[in-house]
Amino acid sequence: MKEFVVGWLYPDLMNIYGDRGNILTLVERARWRGLSPTVLELGKGVREGIESVDVFFFGGGQDREQALVYDDLLELKAEPLRHALAEGAAMLAVCGGYQLLGHYYQTAEGERFPGLGLLDLHTEAGQKRCIGNVVVDVSGLGLEPTTLVGFENHSGRTFLGKDLKPLGRVIVGSGNNGEDGTEGVAAGTIYGTYLHGSLLPKNPHLADHITAAALKRRGVIPLGPLDDALELEAHRRVRDRELAGRR
Ligand code: GLN
């Protein structure tokens, strides 16, 4: 049976608003397809096994938690992470984790946490938090449904460098910065987003997109179809409710 390794960055510190549901979704969908999934917990001080990871997950965290992890990220994990991603592993990073993929995250008090600089983006906190349900148009990714649904709660405003492509365009919600209509980032096998909820249970099409991207280098494609009637019904209900009551 083919191994499928999910690398969970800072499970004890960067894990809010149901982010753990993304790990469960990646693992269970791999199991349903006859793969042998394992979760490698990559907390502070741990870098062992990073080279074996197929999909990294980096969840969200309040400013306090981001302050607790960024030094370990830069000093211990940056180099093997960069190497694994260059080898074709995938990354899904949500909110606080997404912000630390860029050059820096600056808090509302002006404190700056340096990021991995993997992507040409930066984040600065605004005075008002962006909170609420979100609907994103991801037709640019060729996914079906062409939407993602989730929940956001962040003070950071993220700005993408000119060569970076967003994950999608905001239909409902603030997304990256509440100004330019973009949400998240899609750069090769690296996906960043502000969508908590958790994200993947109600967006199985994105879970498969990221898993397929990671397994491409191991020739495990295509992923067989699964019965997603329940997941997609939940997606549709949230989407249609939010579109009807647009904020
Ligand atoms: N602390 C960051 C912010 O407020 C990220 C928050 C989060 O991960 N939800 O923007």
Side-chain angles (χ1 to χ4, degrees):
M1 229 196 278
K2 282 215 189 261
E3 278 246 307
F4 176 65
V5 182
V6 177
W8 192 359
L9 293 160
Y10 310 107
D12 51 342
L13 290 167
M14 298 294 285
N15 176 17
I16 51 178
Y17 310 126
D19 285 342
R20 183 168 168 272
N22 297 308
I23 297 286
L24 297 176
T25 305
L26 290 166
V27 165
E28 287 314 310
R29 295 180 74 78
R31 202 190 306 284
W32 294 336
R33 286 177 168 120
L35 297 171
S36 160
T38 52
V39 177
L40 175 66
E41 298 203 352
L42 296 163
K44 286 191 82 165
V46 183
R47 69 184 237 168
E48 192 75 25
I50 282 184
E51 67 294 339
S52 70
V53 171
D54 294 296
V55 178
F56 293 95
F57 176 68
F58 197 177
Q62 302 309 346
D63 295 4
R64 179 182 167 281
E65 280 71 30
Q66 290 172 292
L68 290 172
V69 302
Y70 79 80
D71 52 352
D72 178 85
L73 191 63
L74 299 188
E75 282 150 32
L76 197 70
K77 296 186 175 53
E79 192 262 327
L81 258 180
R82 216 178 278 285
H83 184 74
L85 292 166
E87 295 284 303
M91 163 83 79
L92 172 62
V94 172
C95 206
Y98 163 37
Q99 295 166 342
L100 290 175
L101 298 185
H103 301 300
Y104 64 83
Y105 166 59
Q106 182 171 300
T107 68
E109 295 72 37
E111 199 182 349
R112 198 173 268 198
F113 307 147
L116 284 165
L118 271 175
L119 300 178
D120 180 22
L121 58 91
H122 69 277
T123 306
E124 295 183 6
Q127 291 315 314
K128 194 170 152 309
R129 292 189 75 82
C130 306
I131 302 178
N133 291 324
V134 183
V135 180
V136 182
D137 170 5
V138 286
S139 40
L141 278 184
L143 295 181
E144 188 51 52
T146 59
T147 45
L148 296 177
V149 296
F151 166 77
E152 64 181 341
N153 184 342
H154 55 106
S155 60
R157 270 66 167 168
T158 295
F159 297 90
L160 306 182
K162 62 177 181 28
D163 300 327
L164 276 181
K165 212 167 51 83
L167 181 66
R169 306 218 55 100
V170 170
I171 305 174
V172 176
S174 302
N176 279 339
N177 50 52
E179 290 165 31
D180 63 14
T182 65
E183 202 299 296
V185 68
T189 58
I190 303 176
Y191 300 87
T193 178
Y194 271 110
L195 271 58
H196 292 282
S198 46
L199 171 68
L200 296 182
K202 289 191 288 297
N203 300 286
H205 45 316
L206 182 64
D208 291 354
H209 184 76
I210 294 171
T211 301
L215 294 178
K216 202 176 272 170
R217 76 184 196 288
R218 300 225 252 124
V220 182
I221 44 175
L223 297 177
L226 293 173
D227 171 5
D228 289 332
L230 205 55
E231 293 88 341
L232 294 175
E233 180 57 22
H235 179 103
R236 267 191 297 277
R237 292 216 185 159
V238 170
R239 182 193 62 200
D240 298 349
R241 185 193 64 208
E242 293 309 316
L243 291 181
R246 242 172 256 224
R247 65 186 170 95

